[in-house]
Each structure stands twice: as C-alpha cells, then as structure tokens.
C-alpha cells in the first residue's frame, strides 16, 4: 500500500445541512442537490459527506454516535490565516472549541466543530512548507 490518503468521508446526520456548512466555508462540489453523497476536491485528495448510517454500514462498523477518534486538519501559511479561517468557520456556523493561540509545539492553531460535531484543527506549523497547490511538505 502506498503511503498516502486519497479520500476522507465524514458521516453526517443531515447531508443538506452539512453540505451547506462546507459550502459556507467556500468549498465547491459538483454534486447535484439530490445526490446522496457530496464530493469536494481538496488539493490532491477528495473530501466527502455521506449519510452517517450508510457510511457505518459500508465500513462494517457499529455507530456508537460518539467521536470517531479522527480530527482532520487544515494547515495554513501563517498565524493570520488561522485567524481568518476560524472567522470564516464561525460565520458558516461552526462551534469554535479552541480559539486561535500559540501552541506548546511552537505553532499557532485553533479548532472548530462542524454541525455534526466533527472537529477540525486549523494550524500554522512554522516547520512545515505549504506549497502553492496547498500540499504539505514535512521537513527533511
């Protein structure tokens, strides 16, 4: 198996509401309103929204309704971008669970949850390079 991730799917309770939230962040999808899944191109990978029960069944797991142990992150090029993205998320209806602040590891980050409670970290790591296409490069 190659060392890469190509798709992340979030299970959501209300697809229309979840889609409207991510579109409120400025994301775009080519999905039709009646489609049962919404795919978003996210740099070199794909991000999807799908019915939570359908995703659980397809994944062969029982949905306990709690946090799934995964927090996607969106890394940016500066602390000011962290602030801007958090304000964008707040405007789209996110719950800000950690306001922007310096971190113990030398960066700057914040966190929000989407309408289904999925957490997202927004971070600036001064040791990582964010390329023009948005991909992240770890230090050598």
């Amino acid at each position: 198996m190659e060392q890469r991730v190509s798709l992340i799917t979030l299970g959501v309770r209300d697809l229309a509401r979840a889609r409207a939230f991510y579109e409120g962040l400025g994301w775009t999808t080519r999905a039709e309103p009646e489609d049962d899944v919404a795919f978003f191109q996210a740099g070199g990978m794909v991000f999807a929204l799908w019915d939570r029960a359908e995703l659980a069944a397809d994944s062969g797991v029982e949905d306990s309704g709690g946090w799934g142990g995964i927090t996607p992150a969106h890394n940016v090029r500066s602390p000011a971008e962290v602030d801007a993205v958090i304000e964008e998320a707040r405007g789209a209806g996110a719950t800000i669970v950690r306001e922007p602040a310096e971190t113990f590891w030398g960066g700057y980050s914040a966190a929000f949850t989407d309408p289904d409670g999925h957490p997202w970290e927004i971070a600036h790591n001064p040791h990582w390079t964010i390329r023009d296409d948005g991909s992240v490069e770890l230090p050598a």
Side-chain angles (χ1 to χ4, degrees):
M1 179 173 166
E2 294 177 30
Q3 186 171 314
R4 62 181 170 81
V5 176
S6 46
L7 169 68
I8 293 176
T9 303
L10 295 184
V12 298
R13 291 188 253 324
D14 181 333
L15 181 60
R17 179 187 69 177
R19 179 178 172 168
F21 173 78
Y22 285 95
E23 288 174 336
L25 292 177
W27 291 27
T28 59
T29 178
R30 289 186 220 132
E32 296 296 327
E34 66 277 359
D35 288 350
D36 65 350
V37 65
F39 293 106
F40 297 83
Q41 188 67 54
M45 63 180 298
V46 175
F47 175 83
L49 303 170
W50 193 20
D51 178 83
R52 188 176 179 101
E54 294 288 333
L55 179 60
D58 188 64
S59 300
V61 298
E62 185 175 328
D63 183 6
S64 63
W67 176 58
I70 296 174
T71 300
H74 178 78
N75 282 71
V76 296
R77 295 170 182 85
S78 71
E81 274 190 83
V82 172
D83 295 340
V85 171
I86 285 298
E87 290 312 311
E88 197 172 16
R90 192 184 317 269
T95 299
I96 309 306
V97 295
R98 186 166 40 85
E99 293 288 341
E102 292 185 9
T103 66
F104 69 91
W105 45 266
Y108 186 81
S109 74
F112 69 83
T113 57
D114 73 8
D116 281 277
H118 296 290
W120 278 84
E121 179 184 34
I122 309 302
H124 169 252
N125 185 327
H127 308 291
W128 292 4
T129 300
I130 309 294
R131 296 187 184 129
D132 290 341
D133 68 358
S135 60
V136 178
E137 181 180 339
L138 296 172

